[in-house]
């Protein structure tokens, strides 16, 4: 069975982009076809200015929404990244394989660093290195496939490169993963700024549909979506990005094809109305389940505790293998007879004392 891993950052309230580009695919497809792990990647939320209490709150909310979207802990593993130390352990090893140039080429780094500088803030080193942590998230689980939206494809590519490079230098250690994108809505755009991705932490709030928005708020946001001065409803991503975005959202919510759907509309108003209705309907079960789960926080906590235990057991051997391969001594509490003996080092109960004496 294939191993699938993906994650979501608690940097803001989850959006329609997160749902159509990732969560829905995880719940409807991935957890049924693979040995799947889904993670709230809270360490990634620390790469930009953050409020600790908010990150904690958003992490709980993201985990609850993963379950509300249909992830079933009997079918997959749901957990929080910082509960499993192996991510950070492996990240450092991969930093010793990645290059500075590679990191600086990452589009998200360039965009976010520029934004941060424009605001007069400083750029955290972790913003530069977070794709390495993301590679560690993926590689620690011997992941075959990473279902993501289009914006994360470059980071998965980096994880591939690092896996191949590590394997070539230090012997086969990692499975080389690949990204899988949803067939439609791989990049939902901001309704007010259709040239920008609908990101949960971006600056165009009125163009972002949040999963927990009330239905009338969702309707308002969709009805006010920026289109263009034309009249005809045609699917043209480059020429009419606002209309194309609505058609893609409608297609993703109703199971149609954007181009075919465009033929059924004579005006932008009708398209917006149907899109708004389709989004409200698509989110209805999720919102209902979210309410139920909020009434039972003990359940969510139990799922996360058990998820972290399962995840740790999966990641441990892979990360320990990487530590050995790259040249680090095995942990001293392990019966280390073989590798230590092979290197001519002392073994047995006196080994620790001899190692200390040798320093
Ligand atoms: N607009 C989107 N369309 C399609 N897929 C999307 N995803 C995110 N936005 C869209 C996918 O959702 C998964 C989790 O996303 P994330 O938490 O890594 O990133 P984000 O929601 O984009 O959050 P931020 O904080 O606003 O991040 P930045 O600013 O870094 O983009 C991923 O699979 C992602 O592809």
């Amino acid at each position: 069975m294939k191993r699938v891993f993906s994650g979501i950052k608690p940097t803001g309230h989850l959006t329609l982009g997160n749902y159509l580009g990732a969560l829905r695919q995880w719940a409807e497809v991935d957890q049924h076809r693979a040995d799947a792990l889904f993670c709230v990647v809270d360490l990634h939320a620390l790469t930009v200015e953050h409020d600790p209490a908010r990150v904690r709150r958003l992490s709980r909310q993201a985990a609850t929404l993963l379950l509300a979207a249909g992830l079933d802990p009997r079918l997959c593993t749901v957990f929080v990244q910082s509960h499993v130390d192996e991510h950070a352990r492996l990240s450092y090893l991969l930093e010793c394989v990645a290059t500075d140039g590679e990191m600086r080429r990452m589009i998200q780094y360039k965009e976010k660093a520029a934004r941060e500088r424009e605001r007069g803030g400083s750029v955290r080193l972790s913003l530069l290195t977070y794709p390495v942590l993301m590679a560690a998230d993926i590689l620690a689980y011997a992941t075959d496939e990473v279902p993501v939206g289009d914006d994360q494809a470059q980071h998965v590519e980096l994880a591939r490169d690092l896996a191949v490079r590590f394997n070539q230098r230090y012997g086969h250690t990692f499975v080389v993963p690949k990204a899988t994108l949803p067939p439609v809505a791989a990049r939902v755009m901001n309704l007010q700024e259709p040239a920008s991705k609908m990101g949960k932490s971006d600056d165009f709030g009125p163009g972002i549909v949040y999963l927990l928005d009330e239905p009338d708020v969702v309707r308002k946001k969709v009805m006010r979506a920026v289109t263009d001065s034309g009249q005809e409803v045609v699917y043209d991503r480059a020429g009419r990005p606002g209309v194309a975005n609505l058609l893609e959202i409608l297609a993703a919510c109703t199971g149609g094809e954007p181009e075919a759907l465009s033929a059924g509309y004579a005006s932008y108003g009708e398209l917006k109305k149907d899109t708004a209705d389709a989004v409200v309907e698509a989110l209805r079960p999720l919102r209902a389940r979210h309410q139920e789960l909020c009434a039972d926080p003990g359940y969510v906590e139990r799922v996360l505790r058990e998820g972290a235990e399962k995840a740790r057991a999966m990641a441990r051997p892979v990360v320990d293998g990487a530590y050995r391969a790259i040249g680090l001594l095995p942990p001293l509490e392990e019966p280390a007879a073989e590798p230590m003996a092979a290197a001519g080092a002392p073994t047995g109960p006196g080994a620790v004392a001899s190692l200390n004496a040798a320093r």
Side-chain angles (χ1 to χ4, degrees):
M1 200 183 222
K2 286 223 157 73
R3 174 71 54 81
V4 159
F5 174 94
S6 203
I8 193 141
K9 285 195 284 278
T11 40
H13 298 286
L14 268 55
T15 72
L16 183 65
N18 295 131
Y19 181 67
L20 297 180
L23 260 66
R24 193 177 62 164
Q25 174 88 1
W26 301 350
E28 290 181 2
V29 183
D30 296 317
Q31 67 173 345
H32 299 284
R33 71 175 175 100
D35 177 8
L37 296 108
F38 300 106
C39 183
V40 177
V41 284
D42 53 350
L43 297 173
H44 292 286
L46 313 183
T47 56
V48 287
E49 189 70 37
H50 75 281
D51 165 16
R54 184 166 187 262
V55 169
R56 261 191 298 275
R57 216 168 40 243
L58 290 173
S59 297
R60 273 195 207 99
Q61 191 194 69
T64 309
L65 280 168
L66 291 186
L67 300 174
L71 292 186
D72 180 345
R74 290 166 303 183
L75 299 175
C76 66
T77 306
V78 181
F79 68 106
V80 174
Q81 180 190 31
S82 63
H83 290 167
V84 180
D85 293 344
E86 271 55 40
H87 296 245
R89 285 180 70 212
L90 181 56
S91 184
Y92 180 73
L93 295 203
L94 296 179
E95 280 188 21
C96 300
V97 176
T99 67
D100 168 68
E102 221 160 24
M103 294 302 102
R104 290 185 193 280
R105 278 199 295 278
M106 293 290 132
I107 295 164
Q108 286 210 0
Y109 168 71
K110 289 195 218 167
E111 288 177 356
K112 285 192 177 178
R115 220 190 298 163
E116 209 59 43
R117 288 191 187 103
E118 264 168 34
R119 288 178 183 149
S122 52
V123 177
R124 295 183 182 186
L125 181 59
S126 55
L127 186 65
L128 181 67
T129 56
Y130 105 83
V132 178
L133 176 59
M134 179 169 159
D137 300 337
I138 296 166
L139 299 184
Y141 296 97
T143 302
D144 299 292
E145 291 180 10
V146 191
V148 283
D150 175 53
D151 59 313
Q152 290 296 339
Q154 191 188 28
H155 292 157
V156 180
E157 216 29 60
L158 176 79
R160 283 175 70 81
D161 292 347
L162 296 184
V164 169
R165 199 175 305 153
F166 192 105
N167 289 348
Q168 278 168 352
R169 283 189 195 161
Y170 306 115
H172 186 81
T173 306
F174 296 121
V175 171
V176 179
K178 68 168 192 195
T180 54
L181 303 183
V184 69
R187 188 179 285 247
V188 176
M189 308 310 275
N190 188 292
L191 297 173
Q192 289 299 316
E193 200 66 34
S196 308
K197 186 193 81 164
M198 186 186 283
K200 59 177 119 57
S201 59
D202 70 23
D203 297 329
F204 309 107
I208 305 173
V209 174
Y210 296 106
L211 298 185
L212 296 179
D213 276 344
E214 295 292 336
D216 56 327
V217 175
V218 172
R219 284 206 174 83
K220 257 188 217 138
K221 287 180 175 175
V222 176
M223 293 309 290
R224 287 181 189 158
V226 166
T227 43
D228 53 59
S229 52
Q231 301 285 323
E232 218 187 330
V233 178
V234 285
Y235 181 62
D236 173 4
R237 230 188 190 293
R240 307 226 180 145
V243 176
N245 192 33
L246 290 173
L247 285 165
E248 286 183 13
I249 293 171
L250 179 64
C253 293
T254 58
E257 286 291 330
E259 187 138 25
L261 285 169
S262 68
Y265 291 96
S267 76
Y268 292 165
E270 284 170 47
L271 170 63
K272 285 180 177 178
K273 187 183 169 306
D274 282 4
T275 306
D277 288 343
V279 172
V280 167
E281 283 317 307
L283 298 184
R284 191 183 299 282
L286 179 146
R287 289 170 47 80
R289 180 80 182 116
H290 178 261
Q291 268 195 340
E292 285 169 20
L293 288 166
C294 284
D296 188 4
Y299 170 76
V300 177
E301 204 150 324
R302 204 163 55 246
V303 168
L304 295 181
R305 192 177 322 110
E306 289 171 6
E309 275 163 26
K310 270 169 70 186
R312 208 173 295 125
M314 283 187 245
R316 201 57 192 272
V318 178
V319 178
D320 284 351
Y323 267 57
R324 279 194 293 276
I326 206 167
L328 300 173
L329 286 172
L332 290 174
E333 70 270 15
E334 267 184 18
E338 268 183 40
M340 299 271 281
T347 59
V352 176
S354 327
L355 281 172
N356 284 338
R359 275 203 212 120

